[in-house]
mmCIF file of all heavy atoms in Angstrom:
data_model
loop_
_atom_site.group_PDB
_atom_site.id
_atom_site.type_symbol
_atom_site.label_atom_id
_atom_site.label_comp_id
_atom_site.label_asym_id
_atom_site.label_seq_id
_atom_site.Cartn_x
_atom_site.Cartn_y
_atom_site.Cartn_z
ATOM 1 N N GLN A 135 66.502 67.083 122.150
ATOM 2 C CA GLN A 135 67.006 66.590 123.428
ATOM 3 C C GLN A 135 66.464 67.413 124.604
ATOM 4 O O GLN A 135 66.448 66.949 125.733
ATOM 5 C CB GLN A 135 68.539 66.621 123.452
ATOM 6 C CG GLN A 135 69.198 65.540 122.619
ATOM 7 C CD GLN A 135 69.014 64.161 123.227
ATOM 8 O OE1 GLN A 135 67.926 63.579 123.153
ATOM 9 N NE2 GLN A 135 70.064 63.619 123.837
ATOM 10 N N GLN A 172 73.600 72.015 128.361
ATOM 11 C CA GLN A 172 73.198 71.055 129.404
ATOM 12 C C GLN A 172 73.322 69.633 128.866
ATOM 13 O O GLN A 172 73.862 68.749 129.527
ATOM 14 C CB GLN A 172 71.740 71.274 129.798
ATOM 15 C CG GLN A 172 71.431 72.597 130.462
ATOM 16 C CD GLN A 172 69.948 72.631 130.844
ATOM 17 O OE1 GLN A 172 69.348 71.611 131.151
ATOM 18 N NE2 GLN A 172 69.360 73.819 130.823
ATOM 19 N N ILE A 173 72.803 69.450 127.646
ATOM 20 C CA ILE A 173 72.806 68.109 127.056
ATOM 21 C C ILE A 173 74.244 67.642 126.809
ATOM 22 O O ILE A 173 74.617 66.524 127.172
ATOM 23 C CB ILE A 173 72.008 68.106 125.720
ATOM 24 C CG1 ILE A 173 70.597 68.674 125.939
ATOM 25 C CG2 ILE A 173 71.977 66.707 125.114
ATOM 26 C CD1 ILE A 173 69.733 67.890 126.893
ATOM 27 N N VAL A 175 76.988 68.499 128.230
ATOM 28 C CA VAL A 175 77.719 68.199 129.459
ATOM 29 C C VAL A 175 77.216 66.896 130.074
ATOM 30 O O VAL A 175 77.999 66.046 130.496
ATOM 31 C CB VAL A 175 77.609 69.369 130.462
ATOM 32 C CG1 VAL A 175 78.153 68.971 131.826
ATOM 33 C CG2 VAL A 175 78.367 70.579 129.938
ATOM 34 N N MET A 176 75.885 66.693 130.080
ATOM 35 C CA MET A 176 75.352 65.457 130.686
ATOM 36 C C MET A 176 75.721 64.231 129.860
ATOM 37 O O MET A 176 75.852 63.144 130.406
ATOM 38 C CB MET A 176 73.837 65.558 130.865
ATOM 39 C CG MET A 176 73.455 66.463 132.045
ATOM 40 S SD MET A 176 71.711 66.351 132.484
ATOM 41 C CE MET A 176 70.946 67.361 131.236
ATOM 42 N N GLU A 177 75.887 64.421 128.531
ATOM 43 C CA GLU A 177 76.320 63.284 127.709
ATOM 44 C C GLU A 177 77.798 62.969 127.924
ATOM 45 O O GLU A 177 78.231 61.846 127.760
ATOM 46 C CB GLU A 177 76.077 63.582 126.218
ATOM 47 C CG GLU A 177 74.620 63.446 125.823
ATOM 48 C CD GLU A 177 74.394 63.678 124.324
ATOM 49 O OE1 GLU A 177 75.345 64.091 123.622
ATOM 50 O OE2 GLU A 177 73.265 63.458 123.872
ATOM 51 N N ALA A 178 78.556 64.017 128.288
ATOM 52 C CA ALA A 178 80.010 63.859 128.355
ATOM 53 C C ALA A 178 80.486 63.336 129.709
ATOM 54 O O ALA A 178 81.532 62.705 129.794
ATOM 55 C CB ALA A 178 80.702 65.182 128.031
ATOM 56 N N LYS A 179 79.760 63.646 130.770
ATOM 57 C CA LYS A 179 80.270 63.198 132.072
ATOM 58 C C LYS A 179 79.162 62.767 133.017
ATOM 59 O O LYS A 179 78.000 63.171 132.869
ATOM 60 C CB LYS A 179 81.171 64.270 132.701
ATOM 61 C CG LYS A 179 80.465 65.568 133.046
ATOM 62 C CD LYS A 179 81.428 66.535 133.710
ATOM 63 C CE LYS A 179 81.561 66.237 135.182
ATOM 64 N NZ LYS A 179 82.280 67.308 135.897
ATOM 65 N N LYS A 180 79.556 61.973 133.975
ATOM 66 C CA LYS A 180 78.592 61.476 134.966
ATOM 67 C C LYS A 180 78.402 62.525 136.058
ATOM 68 O O LYS A 180 79.322 63.286 136.362
ATOM 69 C CB LYS A 180 79.157 60.200 135.598
ATOM 70 C CG LYS A 180 79.206 59.025 134.626
ATOM 71 C CD LYS A 180 77.956 58.151 134.780
ATOM 72 C CE LYS A 180 77.508 57.511 133.466
ATOM 73 N NZ LYS A 180 76.845 58.388 132.485
ATOM 74 N N PRO A 181 77.209 62.583 136.665
ATOM 75 C CA PRO A 181 77.027 63.489 137.803
ATOM 76 C C PRO A 181 77.905 63.061 138.976
ATOM 77 O O PRO A 181 78.342 61.897 138.979
ATOM 78 C CB PRO A 181 75.544 63.321 138.155
ATOM 79 C CG PRO A 181 74.926 62.516 137.067
ATOM 80 C CD PRO A 181 76.009 61.804 136.355
ATOM 81 N N PRO A 182 78.169 63.894 139.964
ATOM 82 C CA PRO A 182 77.616 65.244 140.100
ATOM 83 C C PRO A 182 78.191 66.242 139.077
ATOM 84 O O PRO A 182 79.364 66.192 138.759
ATOM 85 C CB PRO A 182 78.035 65.647 141.522
ATOM 86 C CG PRO A 182 79.209 64.787 141.854
ATOM 87 C CD PRO A 182 79.022 63.513 141.106
ATOM 88 N N ILE A 183 77.298 67.114 138.587
ATOM 89 C CA ILE A 183 77.681 68.135 137.603
ATOM 90 C C ILE A 183 77.319 69.507 138.168
ATOM 91 O O ILE A 183 76.187 69.708 138.652
ATOM 92 C CB ILE A 183 76.919 67.910 136.273
ATOM 93 C CG1 ILE A 183 77.384 66.618 135.590
ATOM 94 C CG2 ILE A 183 77.093 69.108 135.335
ATOM 95 C CD1 ILE A 183 76.491 66.198 134.430
ATOM 96 N N LEU A 211 73.888 74.542 135.219
ATOM 97 C CA LEU A 211 73.282 73.223 135.408
ATOM 98 C C LEU A 211 73.915 72.574 136.635
ATOM 99 O O LEU A 211 75.142 72.532 136.768
ATOM 100 C CB LEU A 211 73.534 72.332 134.185
ATOM 101 C CG LEU A 211 73.070 70.874 134.338
ATOM 102 C CD1 LEU A 211 71.540 70.797 134.349
ATOM 103 C CD2 LEU A 211 73.631 69.994 133.223
ATOM 104 N N ALA A 212 73.051 72.113 137.546
ATOM 105 C CA ALA A 212 73.529 71.343 138.699
ATOM 106 C C ALA A 212 72.787 70.017 138.689
ATOM 107 O O ALA A 212 71.554 69.994 138.607
ATOM 108 C CB ALA A 212 73.269 72.098 139.996
ATOM 109 N N VAL A 213 73.505 68.919 138.691
ATOM 110 C CA VAL A 213 72.888 67.588 138.759
ATOM 111 C C VAL A 213 73.567 66.823 139.892
ATOM 112 O O VAL A 213 74.795 66.707 139.918
ATOM 113 C CB VAL A 213 73.054 66.804 137.428
ATOM 114 C CG1 VAL A 213 72.391 65.431 137.548
ATOM 115 C CG2 VAL A 213 72.467 67.581 136.266
ATOM 116 N N ASP A 214 72.757 66.351 140.815
ATOM 117 C CA ASP A 214 73.324 65.646 141.971
ATOM 118 C C ASP A 214 72.190 64.849 142.611
ATOM 119 O O ASP A 214 71.068 64.835 142.096
ATOM 120 C CB ASP A 214 73.903 66.678 142.965
ATOM 121 C CG ASP A 214 75.097 66.110 143.736
ATOM 122 O OD1 ASP A 214 75.142 64.881 143.933
ATOM 123 O OD2 ASP A 214 75.959 66.907 144.145
ATOM 124 N N ARG A 215 72.451 64.250 143.750
ATOM 125 C CA ARG A 215 71.357 63.550 144.453
ATOM 126 C C ARG A 215 70.674 64.544 145.389
ATOM 127 O O ARG A 215 71.336 65.325 146.060
ATOM 128 C CB ARG A 215 71.922 62.391 145.253
ATOM 129 C CG ARG A 215 72.458 61.281 144.356
ATOM 130 C CD ARG A 215 72.791 60.043 145.156
ATOM 131 N NE ARG A 215 73.078 58.927 144.270
ATOM 132 C CZ ARG A 215 74.303 58.682 143.775
ATOM 133 N NH1 ARG A 215 75.332 59.452 144.075
ATOM 134 N NH2 ARG A 215 74.478 57.661 142.950
ATOM 135 N N VAL A 285 65.389 70.238 136.407
ATOM 136 C CA VAL A 285 65.574 69.473 135.168
ATOM 137 C C VAL A 285 64.429 68.468 135.007
ATOM 138 O O VAL A 285 64.131 67.691 135.927
ATOM 139 C CB VAL A 285 66.930 68.739 135.172
ATOM 140 C CG1 VAL A 285 67.089 67.910 133.892
ATOM 141 C CG2 VAL A 285 68.077 69.742 135.311
ATOM 142 N N ASP A 286 63.786 68.499 133.846
ATOM 143 C CA ASP A 286 62.634 67.635 133.575
ATOM 144 C C ASP A 286 63.094 66.172 133.467
ATOM 145 O O ASP A 286 64.120 65.891 132.839
ATOM 146 C CB ASP A 286 61.980 68.079 132.261
ATOM 147 C CG ASP A 286 60.594 67.492 132.085
ATOM 148 O OD1 ASP A 286 60.489 66.242 131.960
ATOM 149 O OD2 ASP A 286 59.636 68.277 132.071
ATOM 150 N N PRO A 287 62.354 65.228 134.080
ATOM 151 C CA PRO A 287 62.741 63.815 133.977
ATOM 152 C C PRO A 287 62.926 63.357 132.532
ATOM 153 O O PRO A 287 63.786 62.518 132.243
ATOM 154 C CB PRO A 287 61.562 63.085 134.635
ATOM 155 C CG PRO A 287 60.938 64.093 135.542
ATOM 156 C CD PRO A 287 61.172 65.435 134.932
ATOM 157 N N ALA A 288 62.168 63.925 131.605
ATOM 158 C CA ALA A 288 62.297 63.538 130.183
ATOM 159 C C ALA A 288 63.696 63.861 129.665
ATOM 160 O O ALA A 288 64.262 63.109 128.853
ATOM 161 C CB ALA A 288 61.246 64.274 129.349
ATOM 162 N N VAL A 289 64.282 64.961 130.129
ATOM 163 C CA VAL A 289 65.630 65.349 129.694
ATOM 164 C C VAL A 289 66.655 64.364 130.259
ATOM 165 O O VAL A 289 67.569 63.915 129.555
ATOM 166 C CB VAL A 289 65.953 66.801 130.114
ATOM 167 C CG1 VAL A 289 67.408 67.155 129.810
ATOM 168 C CG2 VAL A 289 65.012 67.780 129.429
ATOM 169 N N PHE A 290 66.488 64.000 131.541
ATOM 170 C CA PHE A 290 67.398 63.005 132.138
ATOM 171 C C PHE A 290 67.347 61.712 131.332
ATOM 172 O O PHE A 290 68.364 61.087 131.040
ATOM 173 C CB PHE A 290 67.016 62.725 133.600
ATOM 174 C CG PHE A 290 67.556 63.745 134.567
ATOM 175 C CD1 PHE A 290 66.804 64.167 135.659
ATOM 176 C CD2 PHE A 290 68.842 64.273 134.413
ATOM 177 C CE1 PHE A 290 67.308 65.097 136.568
ATOM 178 C CE2 PHE A 290 69.353 65.197 135.313
ATOM 179 C CZ PHE A 290 68.581 65.608 136.384
ATOM 180 N N GLU A 291 66.117 61.297 130.942
ATOM 181 C CA GLU A 291 65.994 60.056 130.178
ATOM 182 C C GLU A 291 66.669 60.185 128.818
ATOM 183 O O GLU A 291 67.318 59.251 128.349
ATOM 184 C CB GLU A 291 64.515 59.669 130.038
ATOM 185 C CG GLU A 291 64.084 58.794 131.204
ATOM 186 C CD GLU A 291 62.570 58.775 131.425
ATOM 187 O OE1 GLU A 291 61.812 59.136 130.487
ATOM 188 O OE2 GLU A 291 62.151 58.413 132.541
ATOM 189 N N ASN A 292 66.553 61.370 128.191
ATOM 190 C CA ASN A 292 67.183 61.572 126.875
ATOM 191 C C ASN A 292 68.702 61.381 126.919
ATOM 192 O O ASN A 292 69.323 61.008 125.929
ATOM 193 C CB ASN A 292 66.892 62.987 126.345
ATOM 194 C CG ASN A 292 65.464 63.120 125.840
ATOM 195 O OD1 ASN A 292 64.788 62.111 125.636
ATOM 196 N ND2 ASN A 292 65.019 64.358 125.644
ATOM 197 N N VAL A 293 69.327 61.694 128.066
ATOM 198 C CA VAL A 293 70.792 61.572 128.147
ATOM 199 C C VAL A 293 71.189 60.322 128.945
ATOM 200 O O VAL A 293 72.362 60.158 129.303
ATOM 201 C CB VAL A 293 71.446 62.827 128.778
ATOM 202 C CG1 VAL A 293 71.235 64.038 127.886
ATOM 203 C CG2 VAL A 293 70.930 63.073 130.186
ATOM 204 N N GLY A 294 70.209 59.450 129.223
ATOM 205 C CA GLY A 294 70.533 58.184 129.866
ATOM 206 C C GLY A 294 70.797 58.270 131.360
ATOM 207 O O GLY A 294 71.507 57.444 131.913
ATOM 208 N N LEU A 295 70.208 59.272 132.021
ATOM 209 C CA LEU A 295 70.339 59.345 133.481
ATOM 210 C C LEU A 295 69.002 58.941 134.103
ATOM 211 O O LEU A 295 67.942 59.300 133.589
ATOM 212 C CB LEU A 295 70.710 60.765 133.931
ATOM 213 C CG LEU A 295 72.137 61.251 133.637
ATOM 214 C CD1 LEU A 295 72.302 62.704 134.070
ATOM 215 C CD2 LEU A 295 73.171 60.374 134.343
ATOM 216 N N ASP A 296 69.077 58.226 135.221
ATOM 217 C CA ASP A 296 67.868 57.744 135.872
ATOM 218 C C ASP A 296 67.260 58.864 136.715
ATOM 219 O O ASP A 296 67.856 59.295 137.707
ATOM 220 C CB ASP A 296 68.239 56.542 136.758
ATOM 221 C CG ASP A 296 67.012 55.999 137.494
ATOM 222 O OD1 ASP A 296 65.898 56.550 137.303
ATOM 223 O OD2 ASP A 296 67.188 55.030 138.255
ATOM 224 N N PRO A 297 66.057 59.352 136.339
ATOM 225 C CA PRO A 297 65.449 60.464 137.082
ATOM 226 C C PRO A 297 65.053 60.086 138.508
ATOM 227 O O PRO A 297 64.787 60.967 139.331
ATOM 228 C CB PRO A 297 64.221 60.849 136.255
ATOM 229 C CG PRO A 297 64.026 59.792 135.248
ATOM 230 C CD PRO A 297 65.240 58.934 135.188
ATOM 231 N N GLU A 298 65.010 58.788 138.797
ATOM 232 C CA GLU A 298 64.740 58.387 140.183
ATOM 233 C C GLU A 298 65.971 58.587 141.045
ATOM 234 O O GLU A 298 65.873 58.793 142.258
ATOM 235 C CB GLU A 298 64.332 56.900 140.236
ATOM 236 C CG GLU A 298 63.029 56.574 139.515
ATOM 237 C CD GLU A 298 61.838 57.297 140.147
ATOM 238 O OE1 GLU A 298 61.809 57.455 141.383
ATOM 239 O OE2 GLU A 298 60.938 57.727 139.387
ATOM 240 N N GLU A 299 67.131 58.524 140.421
ATOM 241 C CA GLU A 299 68.377 58.641 141.178
ATOM 242 C C GLU A 299 68.886 60.083 141.213
ATOM 243 O O GLU A 299 69.358 60.563 142.235
ATOM 244 C CB GLU A 299 69.456 57.726 140.562
ATOM 245 C CG GLU A 299 70.753 57.762 141.343
ATOM 246 C CD GLU A 299 71.824 56.846 140.753
ATOM 247 O OE1 GLU A 299 71.575 56.204 139.706
ATOM 248 O OE2 GLU A 299 72.919 56.797 141.350
ATOM 249 N N TRP A 300 68.766 60.764 140.093
ATOM 250 C CA TRP A 300 69.366 62.093 139.980
ATOM 251 C C TRP A 300 68.312 63.190 139.936
ATOM 252 O O TRP A 300 67.231 63.003 139.412
ATOM 253 C CB TRP A 300 70.232 62.184 138.719
ATOM 254 C CG TRP A 300 71.331 61.171 138.716
ATOM 255 C CD1 TRP A 300 71.394 60.028 137.974
ATOM 256 C CD2 TRP A 300 72.501 61.197 139.535
ATOM 257 N NE1 TRP A 300 72.534 59.335 138.259
ATOM 258 C CE2 TRP A 300 73.236 60.025 139.219
ATOM 259 C CE3 TRP A 300 73.005 62.075 140.493
ATOM 260 C CZ2 TRP A 300 74.451 59.731 139.838
ATOM 261 C CZ3 TRP A 300 74.208 61.770 141.101
ATOM 262 C CH2 TRP A 300 74.916 60.606 140.775
ATOM 263 N N SER A 301 68.657 64.323 140.502
ATOM 264 C CA SER A 301 67.794 65.506 140.357
ATOM 265 C C SER A 301 68.708 66.693 140.065
ATOM 266 O O SER A 301 69.916 66.627 140.297
ATOM 267 C CB SER A 301 66.993 65.750 141.632
ATOM 268 O OG SER A 301 67.868 65.781 142.747
ATOM 269 N N GLY A 302 68.113 67.762 139.559
ATOM 270 C CA GLY A 302 68.978 68.895 139.217
ATOM 271 C C GLY A 302 68.180 70.133 138.895
ATOM 272 O O GLY A 302 66.954 70.087 138.729
#
Side-chain angles (χ1 to χ4, degrees):
Q135 286 290 75
Q172 295 182 31
I173 306 298
V175 170
M176 285 191 282
E177 283 183 352
K179 64 178 277 191
K180 291 265 147 285
I183 292 169
L211 174 70
V213 180
D214 211 331
R215 292 190 170 87
V285 178
D286 195 295
V289 173
F290 278 142
E291 271 159 19
N292 285 345
V293 295
L295 288 176
D296 179 0
E298 296 297 324
E299 182 179 2
W300 301 105
S301 52

